[in-house]
Amino acid sequence: MTVYVRSLETAVPKTKLVQSEARDVFAAQPGLSRLGARLVNTCFDSAAIETRFTAVDELTNEFRSDDPQFYDSATGLLLNPSTKVRNDIFGREATKLFVQAARSAMEACPELDLLDITHLVTVSCTGFFNPGPDYKIVRELGLNPAVQRYHLGFMGCYAAFPALRAAKSFCDADPNAVVLVVCAELCSLHVRTSNDPDTIMGSALFADGAAAAIITARPGSEETALLQLDHFETVLTPVGEDSMAWNIGDHGFEMVLGNYVPHIIDDHIVGALEPLLAREPELAALPYSSVTHWAIHPGGRSILDKVESRLGLTEEQLVPAREILRNYGNMSSATVLFVIRRILEQAPEPGDERICSMAFGPGLTVETALLTKLRQAPPALRHGQGGQTDQARELLAAEAPVA
């Protein structure tokens, strides 16, 4: 049975962070050591990011508050709220993004009624509340209260793939199923000033965003579908369990992002692709670059550099991933769906347009997917259309962690 992605929509909060301005704020914090200040400048400048979006309005100099919790623009000081304060904001602001993305995905499918949704899968690793985002979407959109709801929590940047894989399984089991998948992450809730290299890198990379998709195998879906879901695979690398992690602390969630992660991916990416491409032997026999599109989760600039080099891909094949990184930063689980959406916006090419997609997360876990692009997507993404700049920095290259 062929399962299709009928729509794929994205959403970001209204507040935009300019990378250079955020860098200057973090670099000016009084608690930084001399090395910490140098690492802030290096990490922010070498991240290949120009703009990001945040649900925390007060993280900009324009916002004024009598009771700031994250950033006091009057003094220029970054504050350190408790995990409870951060999570309370998640419950309020993440709900808005979950509902906005889900509604957009439904509106892109005018032939479907809200009551047609049979399954709902929500994804997030940046906060918790219950009744959760699955419940909120059902209530806010007016879905059938009996819809089957599933929430994938705290998996990290690769979690969109288990969600899509689950949706495909539901559709394989029930040809009448219509599955709504929604990923929403508020990574910026957990930024803080620190001399710790992992914390600095997280502050330089992470951002907020959401993406939603409608997946179904109903007859006639192929006429308006964007994508065909072909195959999914999961691989755990033999090393790296301690190199990437996501833990809960007293003052927010804490990222572990070792500077060896790009090297682990470089060493094991070929092996991670083997079980996926083995599903289609004729494809496995060709050079990797023969796959038209590569939707790589932009976990960081160096990760994309390693993937491009190790697989022998062209610069053009990594453009969608680099554009999303540049304009949106790393939005954890939602990011790879932004990349796929960007590929859908590109002008169609002759013949079958296959998409090989990958995302990486704690473990070290590598999730892969093989997709087929069926037609050009609706209008382009509406946010963050910044231009390309050269963000390379050699200063302190030996001292800075590389994401």
Side-chain angles (χ1 to χ4, degrees):
M1 179 181 301
T2 304
V3 179
Y4 300 100
V5 175
R6 174 59 189 83
S7 67
L8 177 56
E9 298 295 320
T10 60
V12 295
K14 67 179 183 298
T15 301
K16 180 187 289 189
L17 296 177
V18 176
Q19 184 78 344
S20 59
E21 295 175 0
R23 174 203 63 209
D24 293 344
V25 168
F26 275 84
Q29 297 308 299
L32 284 179
S33 65
R34 180 178 297 181
L35 175 60
R38 296 168 72 191
L39 287 175
V40 166
N41 283 290
T42 302
C43 290
F44 275 75
D45 287 347
S46 64
I49 295 172
E50 292 184 2
T51 56
R52 294 179 279 169
F53 292 84
T54 177
V56 185
D57 294 340
E58 65 181 69
L59 285 179
T60 63
N61 286 317
E62 292 75 23
F63 189 86
R64 293 291 185 270
S65 173
D66 294 331
D67 183 26
Q69 295 176 312
F70 284 82
Y71 176 58
D72 186 347
S73 58
T75 63
L77 292 178
L78 287 165
L79 308 178
N80 197 18
S82 67
T83 299
K84 182 183 187 307
V85 168
R86 299 172 195 261
N87 197 64
D88 286 348
I89 296 174
F90 177 86
R92 180 180 71 248
E93 298 299 329
T95 294
K96 297 176 184 178
L97 274 188
F98 270 110
V99 171
Q100 180 183 345
R103 180 176 285 118
S104 295
M106 287 300 306
E107 291 174 349
C109 301
E111 76 280 9
L112 292 176
D113 187 88
L114 290 170
L115 298 180
D116 285 327
I117 301 296
T118 59
H119 301 72
L120 171 61
V121 183
T122 54
V123 177
S124 189
C125 71
T126 48
F128 301 94
F129 61 94
N130 200 8
D134 50 319
Y135 175 93
K136 298 292 187 180
I137 290 171
V138 170
R139 290 302 194 197
E140 292 287 337
L141 265 62
L143 303 183
N144 185 343
V147 65
Q148 295 186 35
R149 296 181 284 129
Y150 304 87
H151 181 70
L152 301 182
F154 222 67
M155 297 185 77
C157 294
Y158 63 80
F161 289 99
L164 293 176
R165 185 169 57 237
K168 185 177 187 301
S169 296
F170 297 146
C171 295
D172 286 337
D174 178 6
N176 197 48
V178 179
V179 187
L180 172 58
V181 171
V182 193
C183 302
E185 305 284 8
L186 302 189
C187 305
S188 69
L189 284 176
H190 304 290
V191 300
R192 65 180 63 78
T193 182
S194 174
N195 288 300
D196 175 67
D198 288 352
T199 303
I200 292 172
M201 182 55 71
S203 298
L205 283 174
F206 285 101
D208 303 349
I214 300 289
I215 293 123
T216 186
R218 283 188 175 183
S221 299
E222 67 278 3
E223 298 176 3
T224 52
L226 305 176
L227 288 168
Q228 178 178 303
L229 299 181
D230 299 322
H231 312 293
F232 294 91
E233 291 290 345
T234 302
V235 169
L236 302 182
T237 61
V239 296
E241 182 175 348
D242 298 326
S243 296
M244 187 185 294
W246 189 226
N247 302 310
I248 299 177
D250 292 336
H251 296 277
F253 298 173
E254 300 170 351
M255 166 60 68
V256 176
L257 189 62
N259 59 4
Y260 196 63
V261 168
H263 302 286
I264 296 172
I265 292 172
D266 188 33
D267 290 342
H268 297 285
I269 188 172
V270 171
L273 282 170
E274 285 179 356
L276 180 74
L277 298 179
R279 297 288 200 101
E280 298 190 21
E282 67 281 3
L283 197 60
L286 299 173
Y288 296 112
S289 59
S290 65
V291 177
T292 308
H293 303 289
W294 287 81
I296 307 300
H297 167 68
R301 173 191 54 79
S302 291
I303 287 177
L304 295 180
D305 291 346
K306 292 292 187 183
V307 170
E308 181 179 324
S309 175
R310 174 63 69 177
L311 300 182
L313 304 180
T314 66
E315 291 183 8
E316 290 74 16
Q317 287 174 307
L318 269 291
V319 164
R322 295 190 191 277
E323 286 185 349
I324 295 303
L325 180 65
R326 182 175 72 245
N327 296 329
Y328 297 91
N330 183 342
M331 300 166 285
S332 191
S333 67
T335 320
V336 73
L337 298 180
F338 274 67
V339 178
I340 293 172
R341 165 80 191 222
R342 183 68 190 90
I343 289 171
L344 292 173
E345 293 165 3
Q346 294 178 331
E349 299 185 15
D352 290 339
E353 291 190 60
R354 306 303 299 276
I355 303 173
C356 190
S357 190
M358 306 183 71
F360 320 95
L364 190 75
T365 302
V366 183
E367 289 279 350
T368 60
L370 196 59
L371 317 168
T372 302
K373 177 181 174 182
L374 299 178
R375 68 181 181 89
Q376 192 169 2
L381 294 167
R382 293 181 289 273
H383 310 287
Q385 301 297 321
Q388 178 73 45
T389 63
D390 181 9
Q391 302 251 9
R393 294 286 191 271
E394 295 184 359
L395 177 66
L396 296 174
E399 298 173 330
V402 182

